[in-house]
Amino acid sequence: MKLPFKIIALLIILSLTGVFIYQAYWLVSFYHTTSRQTDTNIENAIKNADHIELFMRADRLSTKENKQRVTGVKADVHGEVSYSTSFKKGEVNKTSHIVIKKTMRRDNAIYENERILQGNNLVNDSINIGKDQNSMEAMLRQMQQGLHSAIDINVEGINLHDFDSIMNVELKKYNLNIHHYTQIVNTKTHKVQASSLPAYMDKKKLKMYELKYDVMGAHAYQVYTEPTDGMILKQMTGILLTSFIILVILSFSFWYLIKTILMQKTVDEMKSDFTNNITHELKTPIAITYAATDALLNFNIIDNKNKREKYLRICMEQLQRLSGLVEQILSMSMEQRKTFRLNPETIQMKELADNLIEQHKIKADKPVSFTLSVEPEELTINADRAHTYNILSNLLDNAVKYSPDKADVSIFIEDEGNELSVKVTDKGIGIAPEKQTHIFDKFYRVPTGNLHNVKGFGLGLFYVRTLTEKMGGSIEVKSALGKGSTFILKLPQHENN
């Protein structure tokens, strides 16, 4: 079952649209996934930088105060875990000193802060964290927040320069080459306690990541980075370029497919028209010849010399016409065969042209005038005689057919060194510029306006171009509406000429 062309075209367009939509959806999804991963990497870089900076200060404190940093982890049979970190100079007798304990709950965790004072001096400061831990990451993060409570009051706050330097290193580990600026803020009062963000920078144009680093969530890092959209798109350059190339190839393929279907549809219509036309054209000379021979046989015309010659001439003309039609069809069939071969021989161009002119004068159904110029007169060419004859015959036939009332045709043949040039010029109706690129196409016929009696099948010029190219030559046309046309045929000259 053959589907209508409109349905085929619609299915192709729907398929292509579906591919485009799916590809766009996949690219958008990939972009969002990459964006989320980038955000996660930046957040991890902040956590890692905080961790490293924190322990750098802890080690500095141990060296400066000659205190030992002690970190302990305890677990019981119920799965509860506790961590403790403290800085001690030695053992402390807690019964003779003031002990201050503070218990807090946050995120299902218990934080116990113990401070031991001897007079006005802080002797011991530690924090214990207890929680049923199922996640090592959360466990370590809570431990890190607990360390902040112990360390931040013993050291001169966070070293922002160290943090930013460490942050740069951590970002590079994730292949993130982006600028960043850091602020330390009090989340309760929104007061900025330290900042590496230049005053002229507009925060609205930057992307902010926040990390609350202490137990109570009262203090946080606010890291500002340049927008990551451009960086992500740059990372996706290869995928985007590949997708674009695939879409272009698919679009071209679908376009070429539709074009081929349209061309095939047009060719089918032309073939149908050709079949109808050639059937009519073949029947006409057969019918006329049959009528003439019937008259000769059945109406005693054979004894009348004048009528006999008249009817025999009619038969001869119609058989010549029929022979020409069959020759064109056979020639078109032969040139498509792989076994097609040319039979070159030496041809006298003036002699060939004179014979063609005489034949076209006899067959013309209108007044016709030919002008022939061959330079030099003895000019010869080594080519296939039959096809060279048919090529020139087609050009002369068109020049006569497309001249309205009287045909005035000029033929100029000259030697151009390596080429033989043949120019056939008429003063006929001419060809519109937009039609000139199609006149050599198979089955194509130029609309003839008021010349409704011009017969043809759209094979003549196609045959001319095809055989000319097989002979190694070229054919072109120069024409203007109402001013006539000039067909320029060029065939290669061989050394034996």
Side-chain angles (χ1 to χ4, degrees):
M1 181 180 67
K2 290 185 178 181
L3 290 176
F5 172 75
K6 290 183 179 179
I7 294 179
I8 295 175
L10 180 62
L11 290 174
I12 291 174
I13 292 171
L14 289 175
S15 300
L16 187 60
T17 303
V19 171
F20 284 171
I21 292 174
Y22 177 79
Q23 189 74 5
Y25 172 78
W26 183 83
L27 288 173
V28 171
S29 298
F30 183 79
Y31 169 82
H32 288 307
T33 301
T34 306
S35 180
R36 286 192 296 269
Q37 184 60 49
T38 301
D39 290 342
T40 300
N41 291 341
I42 293 174
E43 291 168 357
N44 288 337
I46 297 172
K47 292 177 184 178
N48 293 340
D50 173 51
H51 175 84
I52 295 171
E53 192 278 335
L54 176 64
F55 278 91
M56 285 175 63
R57 285 190 293 131
D59 292 336
R60 281 201 299 269
L61 177 62
S62 297
T63 303
K64 180 179 179 182
E65 300 295 335
N66 194 25
K67 292 182 178 181
Q68 181 181 5
R69 172 166 58 85
V70 180
T71 301
V73 180
K74 294 180 181 181
D76 59 22
V77 294
H78 301 292
E80 293 186 352
V81 183
S82 65
Y83 322 96
S84 65
T85 298
S86 61
F87 297 86
K88 298 180 180 180
K89 284 186 176 180
E91 291 298 323
V92 179
N93 185 356
K94 295 183 181 179
T95 58
S96 62
H97 297 80
I98 300 173
V99 179
I100 302 174
K101 288 187 176 183
K102 187 176 181 182
T103 301
M104 300 168 288
R105 289 181 178 272
R106 180 172 178 264
D107 296 334
N108 296 322
I110 301 173
Y111 301 87
E112 292 182 352
N113 182 227
E114 180 181 78
R115 294 184 179 185
I116 302 176
L117 302 176
Q118 184 177 20
N120 293 325
N121 297 321
L122 177 66
V123 178
N124 184 53
D125 186 16
S126 64
I127 183 165
N128 298 311
I129 309 169
K131 183 183 178 183
D132 182 9
Q133 287 289 346
N134 294 317
S135 171
M136 181 61 70
E137 182 181 353
M139 179 178 70
L140 295 175
R141 185 64 200 149
Q142 289 174 0
M143 183 178 178
Q144 191 169 323
Q145 291 175 339
L147 288 175
H148 266 288
S149 298
I151 295 175
D152 288 352
I153 63 172
N154 290 283
V155 185
E156 295 178 357
I158 297 171
N159 189 319
L160 200 58
H161 181 269
D162 287 348
F163 178 86
D164 281 337
S165 298
I166 298 167
M167 184 69 181
N168 282 329
V169 174
E170 292 299 316
L171 288 173
K172 288 180 180 178
K173 288 181 181 179
Y174 292 105
N175 294 319
L176 298 173
N177 297 315
I178 55 175
H179 297 290
H180 79 279
Y181 310 95
T182 308
Q183 286 185 342
I184 299 175
V185 298
N186 186 315
T187 59
K188 307 298 182 183
T189 63
H190 301 290
K191 182 180 178 180
V192 178
Q193 297 177 336
S195 176
S196 63
L197 181 68
Y200 62 84
M201 295 294 294
D202 185 0
K203 292 182 181 180
K204 295 180 180 179
K205 294 181 179 180
L206 301 175
K207 191 171 184 178
M208 192 266 284
Y209 300 86
E210 185 175 83
L211 174 67
K212 295 178 180 179
Y213 59 79
D214 62 353
V215 172
M216 298 301 295
H219 298 85
Y221 291 105
Q222 288 183 348
V223 178
Y224 292 87
T225 67
E226 57 192 12
T228 56
D229 298 343
M231 181 189 66
I232 294 172
L233 290 175
K234 187 176 180 181
Q235 291 176 349
M236 293 175 61
T237 300
I239 295 175
L240 291 173
L241 183 60
T242 303
S243 299
F244 176 75
I245 292 173
I246 291 173
L247 290 177
V248 168
I249 292 173
L250 283 175
S251 299
F252 175 78
S253 299
F254 278 101
W255 168 81
Y256 188 78
L257 177 60
I258 291 177
K259 181 183 177 183
T260 302
I261 293 173
L262 284 173
M263 288 178 62
Q264 187 63 43
K265 185 171 180 289
T266 303
V267 170
D268 287 341
E269 292 175 352
M270 288 180 172
K271 284 183 177 179
S272 179
D273 292 340
F274 168 75
T275 302
N276 294 333
N277 289 337
I278 198 68
T279 301
H280 174 75
E281 292 297 323
L282 289 173
K283 285 175 65 178
T284 300
I286 293 173
I288 295 174
T289 304
Y290 178 81
T293 54
D294 183 64
L296 288 171
L297 292 173
N298 299 318
F299 295 98
N300 298 321
I301 296 176
I302 195 168
D303 296 329
N304 187 324
K305 182 180 178 181
N306 292 334
K307 288 187 177 182
R308 183 178 69 241
E309 290 179 354
K310 177 182 177 182
Y311 282 101
L312 287 174
R313 190 177 296 107
I314 291 173
C315 290
M316 184 180 67
E317 291 174 354
Q318 294 304 315
L319 288 173
Q320 287 176 344
R321 180 183 175 188
L322 184 61
S323 176
L325 293 173
V326 172
E327 180 65 27
Q328 277 196 343
I329 296 171
L330 289 177
S331 296
M332 293 312 304
S333 175
M334 287 177 61
E335 60 86 17
Q336 293 179 350
R337 295 178 188 173
K338 294 182 179 179
T339 57
F340 176 77
R341 292 289 184 272
L342 295 171
N343 298 305
E345 59 179 278
T346 301
I347 304 170
Q348 292 284 344
M349 291 305 298
K350 188 173 186 309
E351 178 185 347
L352 180 68
D354 285 335
N355 291 336
L356 282 168
I357 289 173
E358 289 301 318
Q359 291 177 18
H360 280 82
K361 283 181 177 179
I362 294 171
K363 66 182 288 190
D365 57 356
K366 65 182 74 174
V368 59
S369 171
F370 288 97
T371 301
L372 175 63
S373 173
V374 181
E375 293 293 338
E377 284 196 7
E378 64 276 8
L379 180 62
T380 62
I381 186 172
N382 193 48
D384 187 290
R385 179 179 293 274
H387 290 301
T388 303
Y389 175 91
N390 288 335
I391 288 170
L392 295 179
S393 180
N394 272 290
L395 294 179
L396 295 181
D397 189 54
N398 283 345
V400 174
K401 283 197 301 186
Y402 291 98
S403 296
D405 299 318
K406 179 183 177 182
D408 189 359
V409 182
S410 299
I411 307 167
F412 298 94
I413 305 175
E414 58 183 337
D415 187 357
E416 293 185 350
N418 294 328
E419 290 181 325
L420 180 142
S421 173
V422 179
K423 297 179 182 178
V424 178
T425 303
D426 63 68
K427 298 179 181 179
I429 60 175
I431 307 169
E434 66 272 13
K435 307 293 184 183
Q436 292 178 20
T437 56
H438 301 291
I439 61 172
F440 296 104
D441 295 343
K442 196 172 187 178
F443 302 123
Y444 183 82
R445 296 196 64 205
V446 179
T448 56
N450 294 326
L451 295 181
H452 301 292
N453 60 336
V454 177
K455 302 295 182 181
F457 315 108
L459 289 176
L461 291 179
F462 175 73
Y463 170 83
V464 169
R465 185 192 65 179
T466 303
L467 268 296
T468 298
E469 290 176 352
K470 282 187 176 292
M471 295 167 70
S474 64
I475 181 76
E476 62 176 308
V477 63
K478 295 181 180 179
S479 183
L481 278 176
K483 297 183 179 180
S485 304
T486 297
F487 284 85
I488 304 171
L489 171 70
K490 295 196 175 182
L491 296 174
Q493 284 276 40
H494 300 286
E495 292 182 359
N496 59 341
N497 287 343

